[in-house]
C-alpha cells in the first residue's frame, strides 16, 4: 500500500510522466495514418495485429520499457514500410499508446533514452474521453466522413 501511494505521488508530481500532451497528439495523427488500418482506430487490434491498449497489452508490455517498445516499433512496423519511421515518430506513437493505456502526460518529451517501465506509467485503462473521441467517425476538413481502407493482403 505504501509503495502504491509513493508511486501515485511520483506520478502526481510529474516525475514518472513520460510524454507531453502535444507529443501524444502528434502520435495519434501518426497512428491514424500508419497503424489504425491493422490495429483499429480504437487500438483494440484485429487478426494478427495485437491490441495496443487494455489488459492484454499491459500483460505483454507492462514489465518492458518505453525504450523497448519504441525500438520494436522502429524496427518492425509498419508491415509495408518496416524501419521507415524515424525515432521521433516512433516516440510519438509510444506517447499515444501510453495515453491510450491511462498514463498521465508530463512536461518532458519521450525519447529513446527515457527507458521507463510501461507498467509503472500505465494500467491498461483507456481514458473515457479518448475512447469516445476514437469511436467517432473521422472527418476531414470539409466535414466529409473518412473510411479507413486496408490494402488486401495486409
Amino acid at each position: 500500500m505504501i509503495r502504491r501511494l509513493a508511486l501515485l505521488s511520483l506520478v502526481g508530481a510529474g516525475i514518472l510522466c513520460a510524454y507531453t500532451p502535444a507529443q501524444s497528439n502528434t502520435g495519434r495523427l501518426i497512428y491514424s495514418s500508419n497503424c489504425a488500418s491493422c490495429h483499429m482506430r480504437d487500438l483494440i487490434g484485429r487478426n494478427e495485429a495485437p491490441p495496443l491498449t487494455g489488459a492484454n497489452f499491459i500483460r505483454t508490455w507492462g514489465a518492458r520499457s518505453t525504450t523497448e517498445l519504441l525500438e520494436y516499433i522502429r524496427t518492425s512496423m509498419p508491415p509495408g514500410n518496416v524501419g521507415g519511421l524515424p525515432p521521433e515518430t516512433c516516440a510519438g506513437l509510444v506517447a499515444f499508446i501510453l495515453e491510450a493505456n491511462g498514463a498521465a502526460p508530463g512536461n518532458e518529451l519521450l525519447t529513446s533514452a527515457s527507458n521507463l517501465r510501461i507498467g509503472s506509467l500505465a494500467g491498461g485503462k483507456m481514458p473515457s474521453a479518448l475512447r469516445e473521441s476514437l469511436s467517432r467517425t473521422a472527418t476531414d476538413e470539409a466535414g466529409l466522413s473518412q473510411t479507413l481502407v486496408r490494402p488486401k493482403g495486409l
Side-chain angles (χ1 to χ4, degrees), residues 136-154:
R136 285 189 224 119
T137 302
T139 58
D140 63 14
E141 292 175 0
L144 302 172
S145 62
Q146 301 293 301
T147 303
L148 293 173
V149 177
R150 183 173 174 203
K152 290 186 178 190
L154 290 181

Side-chain angles (χ1 to χ4, degrees), residues 13 29 34 39 90:
L29 294 173
N34 289 279
H39 292 277
C90 296

